[in-house]
Amino acid sequence: MAIPGSTPCPAVPLPAAGGLSFRPLAATDLDAWLALTLRIAAAEDAPWHDTRSELATCFEDTDNPAAGNTAGGFDAPGVLRAFGRVTKHPGGAAGYAFGGVDPQWQRRGIGAAVLAWQEDLLRARFAADGQPPGTVRVYTPEANPAHTSLLSGAGYSTVRYFSEMLRPLAGAPAVPVPAGIRIVAFAPGLSEAVRLAHNETFADHWGSESRSIQRWGFLLANEDFRPDWSAVALDAASGEVAGYQLSMYDPERFPKEGREEGYTEVLGVRRPWRHRGIAQALLSDAMARYKAAGMDHACLDVDTENPTGALGLYEKMGYRPLRRTLAWDKAL
């Protein structure tokens, strides 16, 4: 059944590989999906993985209904051993593929079969949107030879690098708030104004797509989101949003990496207010919030080719590269 307001999903044959039985994932599979995600992340020593709330949003996403955009591979006893999912923004030039195979079921051609299904489904989705075939995009940690082998063997090429950056909070710089700007704590009443500011700010960034009200709501509903660590820079005269930063806290970081850190999920400054030191002030404010909450490090990610010069800004603020994520593309 099509969800009102969504594009009906094309019917594409599900994968067939490795002795698994594939069907679309349903909300009742959430616990099994999370357990599979955790098994894969542990085996790959992955620096990040989808959280429960992030997986749950897949069953609420009206642009990418799970019934037509997911595939779960189950073994004979009914244990979920593989999954694939695709997303595509209406009218977007790229579709995105996500997937994984249980470590005990790898090297049986399952990953390749899921990837081929994802490509077929995205071809059909571009056609359903009245578009010519576009691009499939996949993000992977750099230090993952299995993913590298699968993607390079299937004709994908690395097109972008994203650097995770880290700095200790000891000695964090105290940056004054620029004249004419007020930094206030994020509050629900500011949510829509910040969403619109975010869409405007990132309109010219590589790979960025506007956040719908639903997708923005998914971000704010994430169990790791910390509104008390997040802030908005307001123009004192007009009250307009000039900039913003939204922060996260991952409780798994300390047992995995031995540090407590605040993570800046999104940071942006609208064009009319750029080059006034607002981004630096927001980062300084975030570090102070992290430190007050008992954190000892600050972390963020950056597109290394960001046109606003964000990489250089973060380096000046004391952040140093930790590891990289790769963006892989393939033209359909």
Side-chain angles (χ1 to χ4, degrees), residues 16 57 113 119 130 140 177 182 193 201 206 218 314 319 321 327:
T57 63
E119 293 172 2
T140 70
V177 178
R182 292 189 301 122
T201 299
W206 183 88
F218 290 159
Y314 300 149
Y319 290 84

Side-chain angles (χ1 to χ4, degrees), residues 243-309:
Y244 55 90
Q245 70 83 13
L246 303 183
S247 290
M248 300 278 190
Y249 171 67
D250 180 355
E252 295 182 3
R253 295 294 255 188
F254 183 78
K256 284 176 60 178
E257 307 208 28
R259 61 176 179 269
E260 292 278 23
E261 65 186 39
Y263 179 80
T264 304
E265 174 74 14
V266 291
L267 170 72
V269 177
R270 293 173 65 194
R271 189 176 298 277
W273 286 272
R274 290 178 185 171
H275 311 298
R276 292 177 53 182
I278 294 174
Q280 295 93 317
L282 282 166
L283 285 174
S284 177
D285 179 81
M287 291 183 207
R289 293 172 188 270
Y290 301 161
K291 193 170 183 179
M295 302 295 102
D296 49 49
H297 283 78
C299 187
L300 49 75
D301 275 87
V302 62
D303 177 351
T304 58
E305 299 178 44
N306 184 301
T308 65

Side-chain angles (χ1 to χ4, degrees), residues 136-322:
V136 185
R137 183 162 296 150
V138 182
Y139 290 95
T140 70
E142 183 174 34
N144 192 315
H147 288 181
T148 298
S149 176
L150 172 64
L151 294 172
S152 58
Y156 288 75
S157 300
T158 304
V159 294
R160 207 80 168 190
Y161 295 87
F162 294 80
S163 181
E164 183 178 349
M165 304 186 77
L166 184 75
R167 70 146 294 150
L169 291 174
V175 177
V177 178
I181 296 295
R182 292 189 301 122
I183 292 182
V184 302
F186 178 85
L190 291 168
S191 175
E192 180 61 5
V194 174
R195 181 184 76 88
L196 295 174
H198 176 77
N199 287 344
E200 176 189 317
T201 299
F202 281 84
D204 58 352
H205 283 53
W206 183 88
S208 181
E209 296 177 332
S210 63
R211 302 264 187 141
S212 66
I213 292 174
Q214 183 183 58
R215 289 181 62 207
W216 190 250
F218 290 159
L219 171 64
L220 300 188
N222 189 295
E223 68 262 45
D224 291 347
F225 176 53
R226 291 297 302 261
D228 53 328
W229 294 1
S230 306
V232 184
L234 298 175
D235 183 275
S238 67
E240 288 190 68
V241 172
Y244 55 90
Q245 70 83 13
L246 303 183
S247 290
M248 300 278 190
Y249 171 67
D250 180 355
E252 295 182 3
R253 295 294 255 188
F254 183 78
K256 284 176 60 178
E257 307 208 28
R259 61 176 179 269
E260 292 278 23
E261 65 186 39
Y263 179 80
T264 304
E265 174 74 14
V266 291
L267 170 72
V269 177
R270 293 173 65 194
R271 189 176 298 277
W273 286 272
R274 290 178 185 171
H275 311 298
R276 292 177 53 182
I278 294 174
Q280 295 93 317
L282 282 166
L283 285 174
S284 177
D285 179 81
M287 291 183 207
R289 293 172 188 270
Y290 301 161
K291 193 170 183 179
M295 302 295 102
D296 49 49
H297 283 78
C299 187
L300 49 75
D301 275 87
V302 62
D303 177 351
T304 58
E305 299 178 44
N306 184 301
T308 65
L311 177 60
L313 165 66
Y314 300 149
E315 290 174 337
K316 289 179 182 178
M317 292 291 290
Y319 290 84
R320 296 293 177 262
L322 179 64

